[in-house]
Amino acid sequence: MKEMMKRMEELVKVLEPAARSYYKSGIELMTNFEYDRLYDELEELEKKTGIILAGSPTQRVGYEVADSLPKKKHNTPMLSLAKTKQVEELIEKAGDKVCYLSWKMDGLTIVLTYDDGKLVEAVTRGNGEIGEVITQNAKYMKGVPLAIPDKGHKVVRGEATISYSMLKKVNDSITDGREPYKNPRNLCAGTIRNYDPQVVAEREVTFFSFDYVEGSPTNSHKEGLDSLADMGFGVVEGKTVTKDNIAEAVEWFAEKIKTNDFPSDGLVLVYDDIEYGLSLGATSKFPRKGIAYKWKDEVAETTIREIEWSVSRTGRINPVAIFDTVDLEGTDVSRASIHNVTQMKNMKVGIGDKVTVYKANMIIPQIADNLTQTGPAEIPSVCPVCGAPTEIRVDENSGCEVLYCTGTNCLDIMTTKIDHYCSRDAMNIVGISTSTIKTFFEAGILHNILDIYSLKNHQDAIVQMDSFGDKKFKKLIKAIENSSEVEIYRFLYALGIPEFGVSNCKTVCRSVPFESIYDFSVVTKEDLIAIPGVGEAMANSFIEFFKNEENAKMIEELSKHVSFIAEEVKEGPAKLGGMTFVITGTLEKCSRKELQAKIEAEGGTVAGSVSAKTKALINNDSKSLSSKNKKAKELGIPILTEDEFYDKYL
């Protein structure tokens, strides 16, 4: 059984990315013959074992986007364990019992329910009483089998997490000025609550089970976890311990966390005897079956010698404290991020200040306290990379002040612009990644977006670069050529106009009769504001972008390389021409994207918020107290069910 499971894991690991690459970008990672051979082998193993692993291509028929995340009350309240930072308390808790010590994963707690061998429901912990139903998203998490051989009723609890390396990858891809995610847990929480399960899959959310809620085949906690691993679940790593070796085990975990890619904020100790643990009951706040051990942060005092202002790929300029090297958790530490201008001001960080520093979760260096508070240090008025003026902006999400470079030719900002221009939703130039852009910059053959179209003249230099070659060069040039014909809204999005995402660009291009790129510069503010979903701030951003001389010159040059594909227009009058609708709530006949596509195919538009221009709000729950329902009622806009909408308009 274990050998078959191991082989299934190997096959999923090979087939899943091959399928994703083929269906998303048309790039074949293996021949059709090889793919079919491995697929058939996996399908046969699934039949023999009764297990279907998360990510199995035998189950994937597309990403079904959720319209909402309904709430559900847990059968029993999900209480948190009591906490300690003292190893002695763990030893005292163990007493004369055998226990299990494991990672306390730092993610989002999920409860999975299986009936008749199939995953039927996944719910977040929420507030402990009520959670959110995320069943569709859970199907795309690593470590969540879609089917198991045990046909009984089983409820499994675990932690959904995202790795540190994925956190870095996602933050590096942020190109619209948003503040990066602060830690893996925040990224995981936002990802799991995303309505699109494709995001869950792409960010490789991983589930680690840590106990049975119902249906354990054994009274041993350790053996229960082993049974979950045998059925394809991800399982939290742990050790069987007694009071005699708990201290030694804690030291083992403390050493290992230094190289862990998955976040952990401590350890969990539970009695291996499940019935005994449950017999102890619970206080009003904590179950008595176990206890959580939080890492005791090692703190060191040091002196700040410099504030380094680091320019990110998004144009943000982040302050970093450089201080006298100290030893923390066995490693030398000499720098720590201060995150933003607001934090620097609040902590009054200045050159020469005495500070205490520690490693958050024993990994990320942070300033704990500023003992002298002589600052804040001077905020640079020019970018340290390009010398352009800087400006402070308030981040909409956090409310914190953030420093930005205003230079249009700053290396980091230009890298971001090129990356965005080539992205899938924009020009979709496969083969130009962030690392490729930086390599070409260093070689002096790429300085701006226009240089993309002259890369064909640098074959000799490119084919000799690491990870390149003649075959890869030809693919890159072919991808650039393939992108020369594009829908006008994709080109508009590729330009990177602040406030304008793909949907907004599509709406604008369908509302204003653009026939060439020169039409962008003559559209008026009044034209834009008249478009559903476009407010004054967005209109101003659009107008200012095309008034900029450098942007105008760039667009004129791009016109020599890009032509537009006309969108298909239905013959005869459009049923919904000039009408704007808003969709909210849970749909029954189709997904929101499908309904939006139907409306747009008939000449209508779909906006994200209700306004006086809205023709109708589509919501199956007309009695809902949602803000959209309230706004529609205030403005006298009809609220229609799906059936009513179809009957009246389609």
Side-chain angles (χ1 to χ4, degrees), residues 560-597:
K560 300 174 183 177
H561 305 281
V562 178
S563 59
F564 298 124
I565 302 171
E567 286 194 78
E568 289 186 16
V569 180
K570 278 194 170 187
E571 293 184 7
K575 289 183 182 179
L576 307 181
M579 299 183 190
T580 301
F581 299 89
V582 175
I583 308 169
T584 191
T586 303
L587 300 181
E588 297 172 356
K589 296 181 179 296
C590 62
S591 70
R592 286 191 191 182
K593 282 191 175 180
E594 289 171 334
L595 182 54
Q596 179 174 343

Side-chain angles (χ1 to χ4, degrees), residues 54-107:
S56 173
T58 66
Q59 303 299 303
R60 297 284 176 85
V61 293
Y63 297 99
E64 181 183 339
V65 179
D67 294 306
S68 64
L69 296 179
K71 305 287 194 300
K72 181 177 181 180
K73 187 173 183 178
H74 295 292
N75 292 333
T76 56
M78 293 179 61
L79 302 177
S80 298
L81 292 171
K83 299 176 179 61
T84 181
K85 287 193 174 185
Q86 305 300 323
V87 175
E88 291 74 20
E89 285 193 45
L90 295 182
I91 296 172
E92 182 181 346
K93 181 74 176 179
D96 61 354
K97 300 293 182 182
V98 175
C99 297
Y100 193 73
L101 187 68
S102 61
W103 296 114
K104 183 177 181 295
M105 305 301 286
D106 191 18

Side-chain angles (χ1 to χ4, degrees), residues 20 80 141 147 175 200 391 398 405 463 477 542 600 635 647:
R20 187 168 67 239
S80 298
M141 294 180 190
T175 60
V200 176
E391 68 177 19
S398 66
C405 169
V463 296
I477 300 306
F542 191 99
E600 290 175 347
L635 297 174
D647 289 343

Side-chain angles (χ1 to χ4, degrees), residues 146-163:
L146 307 182
I148 57 177
D150 193 320
K151 304 302 180 184
H153 176 70
K154 294 195 175 294
V155 182
V156 179
R157 182 159 46 196
E159 199 84 353
T161 65
I162 284 182
S163 65

Side-chain angles (χ1 to χ4, degrees), residues 1-10 12 42 45-46 49-56 112 114 117 119 138-150 154 156 159 205-210 212 223-236:
M1 182 72 165
K2 287 187 176 180
E3 288 301 315
M4 287 192 287
M5 279 283 296
K6 184 179 179 182
R7 179 56 179 162
M8 288 168 64
E9 290 172 356
E10 292 172 351
V12 170
L42 175 61
L45 286 170
E46 289 176 344
T49 62
I51 296 171
I52 300 175
L53 297 175
S56 173
L112 306 176
Y114 288 79
L119 174 65
K139 292 178 181 179
Y140 294 86
M141 294 180 190
K142 291 185 173 182
V144 177
L146 307 182
I148 57 177
D150 193 320
K154 294 195 175 294
V156 179
E159 199 84 353
V205 177
T206 303
F207 177 82
F208 293 95
S209 52
F210 55 69
Y212 274 102
E223 291 176 4
L225 293 182
D226 289 344
S227 73
L228 290 172
D230 289 342
M231 290 187 289
F233 288 90
V235 175
V236 66

Side-chain angles (χ1 to χ4, degrees), residues 275-485:
E275 289 186 5
Y276 173 76
L278 293 175
S279 71
L280 299 176
T283 69
S284 60
K285 294 183 178 180
F286 311 116
R288 294 190 175 97
K289 67 178 183 179
I291 189 171
Y293 173 78
K294 301 286 285 184
W295 299 119
K296 190 174 182 179
D297 298 315
E298 182 180 332
V299 179
E301 185 175 319
T302 185
T303 303
I304 293 180
R305 300 300 179 186
E306 180 185 352
I307 302 295
E308 177 184 282
W309 293 87
S310 174
V311 183
S312 72
R313 292 178 56 247
T314 62
R316 284 174 54 117
I317 307 178
N318 302 313
V320 178
I322 311 297
F323 43 76
D324 293 337
T325 302
V326 292
D327 179 85
L328 287 176
E329 315 292 351
T331 59
D332 290 339
V333 178
S334 60
R335 55 195 293 129
S337 173
I338 310 178
H339 300 302
N340 52 55
V341 172
T342 295
Q343 184 178 5
M344 193 174 75
K345 288 180 177 179
N346 290 342
M347 296 187 74
K348 299 180 180 178
V349 178
I351 307 298
D353 274 343
K354 298 286 185 183
V355 296
T356 55
V357 294
Y358 71 104
K359 278 188 176 181
N361 292 337
M362 300 177 71
I363 295 176
I364 304 171
Q366 302 280 333
I367 295 176
D369 193 18
N370 186 356
L371 305 177
T372 50
Q373 298 188 356
T374 66
E378 183 179 355
I379 299 170
S381 58
V382 297
C383 172
V385 172
C386 68
T390 60
E391 68 177 19
I392 293 177
R393 304 172 191 168
V394 177
D395 182 80
E396 292 183 1
N397 296 320
S398 66
C400 295
E401 291 183 326
V402 181
L403 191 67
Y404 276 87
C405 169
T406 62
T408 56
N409 293 315
C410 185
L411 172 61
D412 291 328
I413 295 176
M414 189 54 68
T415 300
T416 301
K417 287 183 177 181
I418 296 173
D419 191 38
H420 175 78
Y421 184 84
C422 298
S423 64
R424 183 181 61 187
D425 289 333
M427 301 300 286
N428 192 26
I429 302 178
V430 180
I432 297 187
S433 63
T434 303
S435 59
T436 303
I437 294 169
K438 289 184 176 180
T439 299
F440 288 173
F441 259 106
E442 292 171 0
I445 60 177
L446 184 65
H447 305 91
N448 52 49
I449 291 172
L450 285 169
D451 286 342
I452 291 171
Y453 298 98
S454 61
L455 289 176
K456 60 186 177 183
N457 301 326
H458 299 280
Q459 180 173 359
D460 292 343
I462 293 175
V463 296
Q464 295 181 36
M465 294 177 178
D466 291 340
S467 76
F468 252 92
D470 191 62
K471 187 175 180 180
K472 190 173 180 180
F473 172 80
K474 288 178 180 178
K475 281 188 175 181
L476 172 61
I477 300 306
K478 184 66 175 176
I480 295 172
E481 291 173 351
N482 289 342
S483 73
S484 62
E485 291 187 346

Side-chain angles (χ1 to χ4, degrees), residues 17-30 430-431 475 479:
R20 187 168 67 239
S21 175
Y22 179 80
Y23 288 111
K24 284 178 62 179
S25 60
I27 297 175
E28 294 183 5
L29 301 184
M30 62 177 69
V430 180
K475 281 188 175 181

